[in-house]
Amino acid sequence: MYDELTEVDIKKMREEIDYRVRELRPKLIADVQTARAFGDLSENFEYKCAKQEKNRNESRIRYLERMIKTAKVISASSGEDCVGLFDRVVVYNEKLEKEMTLRIVTTLRQDARQGLISKESPVGRALLGRRVGERVLVKVSPELSYHLTVRSLEKGEDDAGLAISKY
């Protein structure tokens, strides 16, 4: 299995790995050594917390390295009048009877609270390739589906301003 990522996604992951290896790892190792010096490790809360933080950092490094290793690099280009990756789309949700502004992004940069919707989510898959005025069926599960109408489309580009997800 692979993840579809853009060149910017991979660049941002490499930058985070570099930061975690060169700056954060030495600091966390020093924190563990300092906490170890406090004495009895069985009742040393500072030591336990320092070890957890160090292990969390190592886990994140492994996760990012695995994502890069298994990634399939994709292009963010799409037709001028079609919804594509990084485009801002205003849709009308017929079930909720309200308008929403969404931006289609790679899975690594999704954040639904900010309107950043993964291209692999039910909404993202339904909207990709659609045009203004089209009515789209979003199928969440066999029991749940709803319609969206594409109201407007603003072409976007893959910019480094979108942060990658923490987990």
Side-chain angles (χ1 to χ4, degrees):
M1 187 174 136
Y2 58 85
D3 292 292
E4 293 181 336
L5 304 171
T6 64
E7 288 289 342
V8 174
D9 289 333
I10 292 173
K11 179 178 178 265
K12 290 177 84 66
M13 286 190 296
R14 286 194 175 121
E15 288 170 358
E16 184 176 340
I17 290 170
D18 187 53
Y19 164 74
R20 288 180 175 277
V21 169
R22 294 179 188 259
E23 294 179 35
L24 200 53
R25 182 184 277 165
K27 178 196 172 297
L28 295 173
I29 290 171
D31 290 348
V32 169
Q33 291 171 343
T34 302
R36 175 178 266 157
F38 292 157
D40 184 13
L41 298 181
S42 64
E43 296 181 15
N44 188 335
F45 183 72
E46 290 84 6
Y47 175 74
K48 183 179 178 182
C49 289
K51 283 287 284 185
Q52 284 178 340
E53 194 59 36
K54 178 185 168 295
N55 291 340
R56 197 172 294 121
N57 184 56
E58 296 302 321
S59 175
R60 178 68 175 178
I61 291 169
R62 285 190 306 273
Y63 169 77
L64 293 171
E65 287 173 341
R66 189 170 46 253
M67 290 285 287
I68 291 171
K69 183 179 176 183
T70 62
K72 176 183 176 187
V73 179
I74 59 171
S75 169
S77 62
S78 65
E80 277 302 309
D81 59 345
C82 296
V83 176
L85 203 52
F86 302 106
D87 293 347
R88 221 175 279 288
V89 185
V90 175
V91 296
Y92 178 74
N93 185 321
E94 294 176 10
K95 188 172 191 170
L96 299 176
E97 297 181 350
K98 72 176 200 177
E99 241 180 35
M100 300 182 293
T101 302
L102 307 172
R103 188 166 181 194
I104 311 298
V105 296
T106 58
T107 302
L108 194 61
R109 298 196 221 173
Q110 69 185 357
D111 186 349
R113 290 173 289 168
Q114 295 183 10
L116 302 173
I117 305 299
S118 168
K119 68 181 199 62
E120 296 169 10
S121 69
V123 173
R125 279 194 310 262
L127 289 174
L128 283 176
R130 303 301 181 147
R131 292 177 165 72
V132 174
E134 282 191 55
R135 186 170 183 246
V136 179
L137 175 66
V138 177
K139 199 167 190 137
V140 178
S141 69
E143 300 82 32
L144 178 62
S145 62
Y146 56 93
H147 285 92
L148 298 175
T149 303
V150 180
R151 293 254 170 109
S152 69
L153 169 64
E154 178 186 325
K155 298 306 284 180
E157 59 184 44
D158 189 1
D159 63 351
L162 294 172
I164 59 176
S165 303
K166 294 299 175 201
Y167 269 103

